[in-house]
Amino acid sequence: LTVCAAGTSCPDCLMSIIVAREGKGAMAISNVFGSNVFDILFALGLPWFIFFLLNPGSVIKVDASDIIESATVLVLCFVLYLGCVFCSRGVLKR
């Protein structure tokens, strides 16, 4: 899975670097968020959607005992991101 994750993230990273160097920082940020949203919605959502279409009425138990820690880390990362945007006044520098 790590190799697969690296293989799908490297092109996104390279494209973000290329457009950022061209002075299109907003496009680089959009690429980062857009690719992650796409990965979450389609790479995770589509297989589950197909599974439930093929197996109606199926129930899958998910262990969510660590959800609080994961959600806390996610919120902290988002707050850090907002802090960085606020401190830089939304301007990406070279």
Side-chain angles (χ1 to χ4, degrees), residues 8-69:
T8 59
S9 296
C10 285
D12 292 334
C13 179
L14 291 175
M15 290 309 299
S16 293
I17 291 170
I18 290 169
V19 296
R21 285 186 177 171
E22 291 177 358
K24 300 174 184 171
M27 185 179 285
I29 299 298
S30 298
N31 182 35
V32 169
F33 285 110
S35 66
N36 287 328
V37 168
F38 179 82
D39 289 345
I40 290 170
L41 291 179
F42 288 100
L44 290 175
L46 188 61
W48 284 103
F49 179 72
I50 293 171
F51 174 81
F52 284 113
L53 280 179
L54 298 176
N55 302 302
S58 296
V59 176
I60 296 177
K61 293 183 180 182
V62 177
D63 179 25
S65 60
D66 295 333
I67 192 75
I68 298 298
E69 291 85 1

